[in-house]
């Protein structure tokens, strides 16, 4: 497809479901970026936080939904609410802190004050000054719909969107394996780590939906050190792990442990009886043999979970990294990354898991540096006059679409290899659907 064939009314045509070709304009074009903010992000359920971040009434955090600043508030009446972080009077941010606890939010421009349930509390002047000409019910903070699953808090400003459980669909079975596998669930281990990468947000979301072969090409040397396994063994387990096209744009891969790797490697042993209590036999079977689990919930929530050790004298420990790919521009994304652990795990285990995660999967971490360099290079190679006319290939789907796993224990379409490109291309198919619908 040449760039001159692009129809602005049908941007989804840039993704060809039949051939696996994707025009690179999808990843570098400013007009496409503006369209997807309206047609994808403004229409979707977006992750805004975890319940453990706003555990007490009055707790709040400030977040981003697409390109809009928002406040996630645990209001004094016990409800979780999400507001547009903009004063209804003139649009000033009413909260400029990353997190805190407060009964109210005060606009710094005119002093309008809002309770933490979003209702207008006071003005710069007395209401009588408006001589009953103004309906102040119109001046409450703009509120989004909120949904919670397994401690994950999502919000949308789209009143017509299906409910959260419909959006997540079969992804809930897999979410439970990571966030809902103990009676008390997961908790975040501190505030999110943030950095800016020179990349389109979709590169990261697709990579975690997930891309198998890059792991050894981009991360080969550090993989051998952090995982302490020969390259041949790494290649074999990566190729043989299932990739799951879950539906609704969600996708994941599970890389199994090599022969001889003990069950539950990297997990806190004290948690295993709780997993057996909370999870189905199929979920337990995947988890106990899982060397690496990577997943994206459409459009831009991802996580990675696997055991590493940076010392041959110490056994591997799982880290659990969750992240959001914030769509800053066509050529940059702000990455927000949290680390999590089962709430019941020992503090020593949580500390070790967090330390290993920071060393490997943050802006200064070994694995993220590899990925960020690759994604920035993709952007450079695709944004030029000629480069943006070329196609990115996901044509491994042509060889993989009939290679289904008949007896896979989980829902969705499971394929035999993380190299299949089926799960990651599924995200682009959902993107195509939403971009096309917005132009109808």
């Amino acid at each position: 497809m040449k760039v001159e064939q692009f129809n602005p009314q049908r941007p989804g045509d840039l993704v060809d479901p039949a051939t696996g070709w994707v025009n690179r304009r999808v990843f570098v074009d400013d007009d496409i970026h503006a369209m997807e903010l309206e047609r994808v992000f403004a229409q979707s359920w977006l992750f805004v936080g975890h319940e453990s971040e706003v555990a007490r009434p009055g707790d709040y955090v400030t977040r981003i939904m697409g390109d809009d600043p928002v406040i996630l508030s645990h209001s004094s009446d016990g409800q979780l609410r999400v507001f547009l972080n903009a004063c209804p009077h003139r649009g000033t941010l009413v909260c400029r802190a990353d997190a805190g606890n407060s009964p109210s939010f005060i606009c710094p421009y005119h002093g309008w004050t809002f309770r933490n349930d979003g209702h207008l509390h006071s003005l710069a002047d007395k209401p009588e000054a408006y001589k009953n000409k103004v309906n102040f019910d119109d001046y409450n903070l703009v509120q989004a719909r909120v949904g919670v699953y397994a401690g994950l808090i999502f919000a949308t400003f789209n009143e017509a969107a299906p409910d959260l459980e419909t959006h997540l669909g079969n992804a809930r079975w897999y979410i439970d394996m990571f966030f809902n596998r103990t009676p008390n669930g997961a908790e975040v281990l501190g505030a999110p780590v943030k950095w800016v990468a020179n990349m389109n947000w979709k590169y990261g979301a697709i990579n975690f939906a997930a891309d198998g072969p890059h792991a050894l090409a981009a991360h080969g040397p550090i993989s051998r050190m952090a995982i302490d396994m020969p390259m041949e063994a790494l290649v074999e387990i990566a190729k043989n792990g299932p990739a799951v096209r879950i539906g609704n744009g969600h996708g994941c891969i599970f890389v199994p442990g090599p022969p001889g790797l003990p069950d539950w490697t990297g997990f806190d042993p004290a948690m295993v009886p709780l997993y057996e209590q909370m999870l189905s036999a199929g979920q337990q079977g995947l988890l106990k043999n899982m060397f690496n689990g990577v997943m994206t919930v459409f459009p831009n929530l991802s996580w990675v979970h696997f055991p590493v050790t940076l010392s041959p004298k110490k056994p591997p420990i799982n880290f659990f990294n969750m992240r959001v790919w914030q769509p800053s521009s066509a050529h940059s994304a702000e990455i927000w990354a949290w680390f999590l652990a089962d709430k019941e795990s020992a503090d020593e285990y949580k500390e070790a898991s967090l330390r290993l995660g920071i060393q490997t999967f943050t802006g200064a971490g070994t694995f993220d540096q590899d990925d960020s360099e690759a994604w920035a290079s993709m952007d450079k190679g695709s944004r030029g006059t000629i480069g943006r006319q070329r196609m990115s290939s996901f044509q491994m789907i042509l060889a993989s679409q009939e290679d289904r796993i008949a007896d896979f224990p989980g829902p969705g379409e499971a394929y035999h290899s993380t190299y299949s490109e089926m799960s990651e291309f599924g995200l682009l198919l959902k993107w195509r659907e939403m971009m096309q619908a917005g132009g109808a």
Side-chain angles (χ1 to χ4, degrees):
M1 180 185 298
K2 292 286 188 179
V3 70
E4 56 264 29
Q5 294 174 294
F6 168 57
N7 180 352
Q9 299 303 312
R10 295 181 58 83
D13 287 347
L14 295 171
V15 176
D16 188 342
T19 66
W21 285 117
V22 178
N23 191 288
R24 290 177 187 164
R25 186 169 181 168
V26 163
F27 302 104
V28 299
D29 187 270
D30 292 332
D31 292 336
I32 293 291
H33 177 75
M35 288 181 194
E36 66 188 7
L37 287 173
E38 294 185 359
R39 301 183 184 188
V40 175
F41 287 92
Q43 307 304 317
S44 298
W45 286 96
L46 304 177
F47 174 79
V48 291
H50 190 271
E51 284 184 317
S52 59
E53 296 183 275
V54 286
R56 301 172 302 157
D59 284 351
Y60 68 85
V61 292
T62 51
R63 296 289 147 87
I64 300 173
M65 292 176 61
D67 58 350
D68 287 298
V70 299
I71 305 167
L72 166 59
S73 171
H74 186 158
S75 58
S76 297
D77 63 3
Q79 299 297 308
L80 292 173
R81 291 183 165 88
V82 172
F83 312 111
L84 184 66
N85 189 2
C87 181
H89 181 220
R90 298 287 177 84
T92 311
L93 295 176
V94 297
C95 183
R96 293 180 289 176
D98 288 340
N101 185 284
S102 176
S104 60
F105 305 108
I106 303 174
C107 174
Y109 191 28
H110 292 102
W112 289 39
T113 302
F114 304 86
R115 298 199 306 261
N116 61 15
D117 64 1
H119 283 87
L120 177 65
H121 180 264
S122 60
L123 316 174
D125 204 342
K126 294 181 179 180
E128 291 78 13
Y130 288 84
K131 300 180 179 179
N132 295 319
K133 302 291 185 180
V134 174
N135 179 7
F136 288 104
D137 289 341
D138 295 334
Y139 285 88
N140 297 325
L141 294 177
V142 176
Q143 191 163 172
R145 297 167 61 194
V146 175
V148 182
Y149 186 80
L152 301 172
I153 306 169
F154 296 82
T156 181
F157 286 103
N158 179 9
E159 291 296 331
D163 61 27
L164 176 63
E165 291 207 348
T166 301
H167 168 69
L168 294 177
N170 287 331
R172 292 172 294 172
W173 193 89
Y174 300 96
I175 290 171
D176 287 344
M177 291 176 58
F178 296 94
F179 296 91
N180 215 18
R181 62 196 183 194
T182 67
N184 292 327
E187 66 177 355
V188 298
L189 303 178
V193 181
K194 306 174 188 178
W195 69 98
V196 175
N198 298 323
M199 56 175 281
N200 185 275
W201 69 273
K202 291 187 291 297
Y203 287 145
I206 291 169
N207 189 83
F208 276 59
D211 185 286
H214 93 281
L216 302 180
H219 306 309
I222 188 60
S223 293
R224 290 195 298 274
M225 184 181 110
I227 301 168
D228 191 24
M229 191 180 299
M231 179 60 77
E232 296 76 14
L234 287 171
V235 171
E236 191 63 24
I237 63 174
K239 282 188 174 180
N240 291 330
V244 186
R245 184 181 288 183
I246 301 170
N248 288 346
H250 319 312
C252 62
I253 61 172
F254 293 95
V255 177
L261 188 75
D263 288 347
W264 306 110
T265 291
F267 289 91
D268 180 349
M271 295 298 100
V272 173
L274 299 182
Y275 302 158
E276 293 172 343
Q277 171 187 334
M278 295 293 293
L279 300 177
S280 69
Q283 291 167 318
Q284 291 179 49
L286 279 176
L287 199 63
K288 72 180 180 182
N289 189 41
M290 184 181 74
F291 181 70
N292 185 9
V294 191
M295 182 165 169
T296 291
V297 171
F298 186 89
N300 65 330
L301 171 65
S302 301
W303 56 84
V304 55
H305 182 296
F306 73 90
V308 296
T309 179
L310 297 179
S311 170
K313 298 180 181 180
K314 295 182 179 180
I317 291 177
N318 281 315
F319 74 85
F320 182 13
N321 174 280
M322 174 181 67
R323 59 185 53 198
V324 170
W325 315 94
Q326 306 286 12
S328 305
S329 74
H331 305 288
S332 68
E334 189 169 317
I335 303 171
W336 294 34
W338 295 256
F339 292 94
L340 301 96
D342 299 313
K343 194 173 292 185
E344 295 92 336
S345 285
D347 289 342
E348 295 80 4
Y349 181 89
K350 293 176 184 176
E351 182 179 350
S353 175
L354 175 61
R355 182 168 299 164
L356 286 168
I358 290 173
Q359 289 176 293
T360 52
F361 268 88
T362 58
T366 49
F367 286 90
D368 259 308
Q369 288 185 64
D370 292 339
D371 285 334
S372 293
E373 177 61 28
W375 296 329
S377 184
M378 291 162 70
D379 179 74
K380 288 179 181 177
S382 302
R383 67 158 70 184
T385 302
I386 303 302
R388 65 200 286 116
Q389 298 181 42
R390 305 303 299 172
M391 310 297 281
S392 287
S393 171
F394 292 84
Q395 290 204 295
M396 183 60 78
I397 65 168
L398 302 178
S400 305
Q401 52 197 0
E402 303 300 328
D403 194 21
R404 294 271 298 274
I405 302 174
D407 57 350
F408 189 73
E413 301 173 359
Y415 298 86
H416 275 105
S417 176
T418 68
Y419 284 39
S420 69
E421 300 183 346
M422 292 299 295
S423 55
E424 53 190 309
F425 193 63
L427 184 144
L428 284 168
L429 292 178
K430 181 62 176 179
W431 180 91
R432 178 184 190 274
E433 174 191 323
M434 296 194 73
M435 292 291 281
Q436 219 71 318

